[in-house]
């Protein structure tokens, strides 16, 4: 197959900037495309963490104000293991502490529409090619086009609302084809109508089949309407978001564009998530060396202040604490979990009421339930390795990475049958044990009762050592490598290029 030129635009990239799975995907997918021989370049804001990680970044271009509300910016070039990075440097918008979307008090930055409007605009500018770049950049004296920018991608791959406005500027045939990937349809980037002018969009873009959505300018709606093709991160979620219950108001549009919509399951970065080589673990292990997993349990119990119990399962949770993840069900069960009997280790942050709920639960049951507030990458690895089973009863889950990490780590997940959870976790039953596909526990309803039954079932299975080991090994042997997803994206890019022309 021919070598494609791909611009991958994202607001996060692990390990430098990550609030969730998008960061993991933006680190792994472009790298897999690069390994497959494609010319892929990643566009990401030059947050302080990126500038710190790439201090040698060189100047690519000065960008003058592209619209009444957009400040001047610069493009910097760097690379990570040979993968080219284009950093969008605009200190006025991106030189801020902490989370890319939230201020230190946990509120959305008031100018997110401008911040990610600029990111989308620049993604589009790169997709428009040399002549657009020449005329945009030509207005600056002494700023000839850097030869490294003498490049027009075949495809601009946009991820989530933060970059999804770009197709509004990529409608001409001379431009690159565009793909919008939905990682979570609940986040849409809807802003006041004044953004139309501020971001330099033409008045005629304000249409129900353009960027307008219920009187607002919607980044995601615009992308779903105007991108050449659309994808989301699992086949089941691709079906679900066409349904009112999951579509957050965008289901009718997605049904209308059903022919343009694909579901491609995310992968696992096997170099980062491999229990045999993971430097964060107390003891390495593998599917055929499972005994060492127990040492990780002991170490985790000690690290999190849990009793050194060996006669009961330890359930793990690593999550953004939000309604999406269904962890309120765990809170409703509360101490019930200690009666199984079992232990629970939770790492997460988010909703303040849920944080308080887990904190109190842990305080009431020291030794049995432990809660660590915050974001801690290394501890996340140790929970995956040290827990016996992982809890992820999400109400919706576009793909979910943690259940796949759990499968890799021999930590059978308990999940709800939705999105990528439904596509990766196979419920334990006589039939699935017989054909060696059983790898976890699946519930249909998001109710405390259903979760309770699954916890009981998992606890019973855990006590049967041989049965449990079989379930662990089924999960550990399943292949979730990114190379497979990358192949499907390449096919998607070729389809988009054909459809665009
Ligand atoms: P989502 O993107 O919806 O949050 P995913 O399962 O796709 O869910 O990805 C979440 C990613 O973020 C995983 O890599 C997970 O380990 C990580 N993560 C979530 N919360 C934390 C936390 N508190 N500490 C460390 N890693 C976390
Ligand atoms: C979103 C989704 C999650 C998915 C991740 C990466 O954050 O909530 O399910 O795995 O994006 O695609």
């Amino acid at each position: 197959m021919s070598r494609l030129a791909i611009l991958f635009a994202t607001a996060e990239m692990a390990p430098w900037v990550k609030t969730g799975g998008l960061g993991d995907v933006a680190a792994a997918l472009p790298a897999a495309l690069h390994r497959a021989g494609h010319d892929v370049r990643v566009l990401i804001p030059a947050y302080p963490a990126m500038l710190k990680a790439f201090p040698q970044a060189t100047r690519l271009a000065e960008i003058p104000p592209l619209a009444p509300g957009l400040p001047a910016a610069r493009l910097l070039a760097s690379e990570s293991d040979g993968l080219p990075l284009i950093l969008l440097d605009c200190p006025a918008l991106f030189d801020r502490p902490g989370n890319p979307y939230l201020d230190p008090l946990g509120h959305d930055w008031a100018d997110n529409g401008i911040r990610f409007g600029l990111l989308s605009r620049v993604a589009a500018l790169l997709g428009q090619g040399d002549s657009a770049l020449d005329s945009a950049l030509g207005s600056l004296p002494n700023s000839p086009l850097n030869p490294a920018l003498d490049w027009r991608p075949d495809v601009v791959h946009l991820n989530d609302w933060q970059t999804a406005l770009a197709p509004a500027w990529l409608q001409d045939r001379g431009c690159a084809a565009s793909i919008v990937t939905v990682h979570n349809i609940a986040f849409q980037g809807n802003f006041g109508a004044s953004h139309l002018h501020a971001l330099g969009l033409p008045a005629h873009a304000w249409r129900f089949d353009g960027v307008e959505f219920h009187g607002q300018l919607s980044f995601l709606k615009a992308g779903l309407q105007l991108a050449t093709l659309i994808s989301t991160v699992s086949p089941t979620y691709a079906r679900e978001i066409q349904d009112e219950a999951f579509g957050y108001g965008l289901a009718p549009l997605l049904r209308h564009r059903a022919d343009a919509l694909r579901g491609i399951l995310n992968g696992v970065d096997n170099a980062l998530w491999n229990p045999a080589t993971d430097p964060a673990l107390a003891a390495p292990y593998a599917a055929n060396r499972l005994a060492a997993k127990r040492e990780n349990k002991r170490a985790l119990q000690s690290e999190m202040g849990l009793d050194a119990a060996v006669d009961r399962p330890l359930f793990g949770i690593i999550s953004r604490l939000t309604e999406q993840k269904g962890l309120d069900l765990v809170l409703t069960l509360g101490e019930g979990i200690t009666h199984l009997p079992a232990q629970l280790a939770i790492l997460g942050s988010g909703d303040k009421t849920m944080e308080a709920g887990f904190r109190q639960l842990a305080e009431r049951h020291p030794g049995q339930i432990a809660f660590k507030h915050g974001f801690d990458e290394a501890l996340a690895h140790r929970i995956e390795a040290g827990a016996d089973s992982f809890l992820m009863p999400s109400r919706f889950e576009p793909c979910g990475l943690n259940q796949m990490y759990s499968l890799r780590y021999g930590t059978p997940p308990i999940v709800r049958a939705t999105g990528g959870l439904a596509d990766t976790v196979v419920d334990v039953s006589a039939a699935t044990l017989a054909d060696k596909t059983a790898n976890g526990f699946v519930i249909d309803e998001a109710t405390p009762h259903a979760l309770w039954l699954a916890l009981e079932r998992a606890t019973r299975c855990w006590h049967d050592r041989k049965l449990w080991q079989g379930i662990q090994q089924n999960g550990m042997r399943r292949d979730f490598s990114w190379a497979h997803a990358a192949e499907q994206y390449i096919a998607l890019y070729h389809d988009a290029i054909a459809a665009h022309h």
Side-chain angles (χ1 to χ4, degrees), residues 13 48 54 102 140 156 181-182 237 259 291 294 328 445 470:
M13 190 177 188
F54 300 96
L102 307 176
L140 287 183
V156 178
T181 295
V182 179
Y237 196 58
D259 290 344
R294 269 181 244 147
D328 48 302
E445 302 292 325

Side-chain angles (χ1 to χ4, degrees), residues 52-86:
K52 190 165 164 232
F54 300 96
Q56 322 288 16
T58 55
R59 204 188 71 139
L60 257 185
E62 299 288 334
I63 301 183
L66 293 166
L70 296 177
R74 293 192 306 169
L75 295 183
L76 306 175
S78 194
E79 57 161 66
S80 162
D81 284 336
L83 172 70
L85 304 179
I86 303 174

Side-chain angles (χ1 to χ4, degrees), residues 143-491:
S143 176
L145 193 59
N146 187 312
L149 266 189
D150 188 8
W151 178 75
R152 203 218 71 181
D154 302 307
V155 186
V156 178
H157 185 167
L158 306 150
N159 292 277
D160 269 353
W161 73 265
Q162 297 90 337
T163 50
L165 192 56
W169 290 281
L170 290 171
Q171 294 302 300
D172 290 344
R173 285 207 181 166
C175 300
S178 55
I179 306 272
V180 167
T181 295
V182 179
H183 297 264
N184 192 334
I185 207 161
F187 299 102
Q188 303 183 343
N190 300 333
F191 301 99
S194 62
H195 283 77
L196 190 77
H197 176 68
L199 300 178
L201 283 163
H204 65 76
W206 191 260
R207 301 154 50 114
F208 82 95
D209 56 355
V211 305
E212 188 272 342
F213 188 48
H214 300 299
Q216 293 196 293
L217 186 156
S218 173
F219 279 46
L220 187 61
K221 187 270 178 159
L224 298 182
Q225 183 79 52
L226 300 170
T228 317
L229 294 179
I230 307 165
S231 77
T232 187
V233 289
S234 69
T236 296
Y237 196 58
R239 287 192 297 277
E240 287 174 340
I241 52 179
Q242 297 178 52
D243 191 283
E244 310 304 333
F246 289 91
Y248 281 79
L250 290 166
L253 169 55
L254 288 165
R255 288 199 295 272
H256 174 67
R257 296 216 64 198
D259 290 344
L261 169 64
R262 310 274 168 83
I264 301 176
L265 195 69
N266 287 332
V268 169
D269 187 331
N270 286 328
L272 288 179
W273 293 94
N274 179 353
T277 55
D278 191 334
L281 306 195
Y285 62 96
N288 56 0
R289 284 182 285 127
L290 267 172
K293 185 167 165 40
R294 269 181 244 147
E295 277 177 54
N296 293 292
K297 178 171 178 177
R298 264 196 296 280
L300 180 65
Q301 286 169 323
S302 144
E303 176 175 0
M304 294 199 71
L306 293 166
D307 297 340
V310 292
D311 60 342
R312 58 198 61 187
L314 168 54
F315 292 100
I317 293 174
I318 303 157
S319 191
R320 292 185 292 117
L321 301 178
T322 65
E323 164 97 6
Q324 173 192 344
K325 302 292 178 179
L327 296 172
D328 48 302
L329 304 178
V330 178
L331 279 172
T332 309
L333 290 182
E335 28 245 82
I337 291 171
T338 61
H339 298 143
L340 275 168
Q343 294 177 312
L344 182 60
I346 307 133
L347 166 64
S349 62
D351 181 280
K352 299 293 165 215
T353 320
M354 283 170 114
E355 286 180 0
F358 281 119
R359 195 172 291 120
Q360 284 157 14
L361 195 60
E363 279 165 7
R364 280 201 304 272
H365 299 277
Q368 303 204 60
I369 299 181
F371 173 56
K372 170 86 191 289
H373 173 259
F375 198 95
D376 185 336
E377 189 76 35
L379 179 58
H381 285 244
R382 290 195 288 273
I383 292 179
E384 287 293 4
D388 292 300
S389 170
F390 191 83
L391 289 188
M392 205 165 167
S394 306
R395 293 203 161 72
F396 69 93
E397 195 59 75
C399 178
L401 297 171
N402 269 126
Q403 85 283 10
M404 293 195 273
Y405 301 154
S406 304
L407 292 169
R408 292 273 300 144
Y409 278 59
T411 307
I414 299 182
V415 305
R416 203 172 89 72
T418 183
L421 301 175
D423 293 336
T424 51
V425 182
V426 180
D427 191 42
V428 169
S429 71
T432 59
L433 285 170
D435 68 12
K436 293 195 184 319
T437 55
N439 61 16
F441 302 85
V442 182
I443 60 175
D444 289 324
E445 302 292 325
T447 61
H449 182 64
L451 179 60
W452 174 254
L453 293 179
L455 285 166
E456 266 191 337
R457 202 150 64 90
T459 301
R460 267 201 314 277
C461 290
W462 179 81
H463 281 287
D464 181 337
R465 281 299 149 97
K466 192 150 171 275
L467 175 72
W468 191 256
Q469 195 174 318
I471 300 168
Q472 290 177 295
Q473 287 171 335
N474 291 344
M476 295 179 90
R477 291 192 173 130
R478 195 156 149 179
D479 178 13
F480 291 113
S481 61
W482 267 106
H484 181 59
E487 267 172 35
Q488 296 177 66
Y489 277 103
I490 292 162

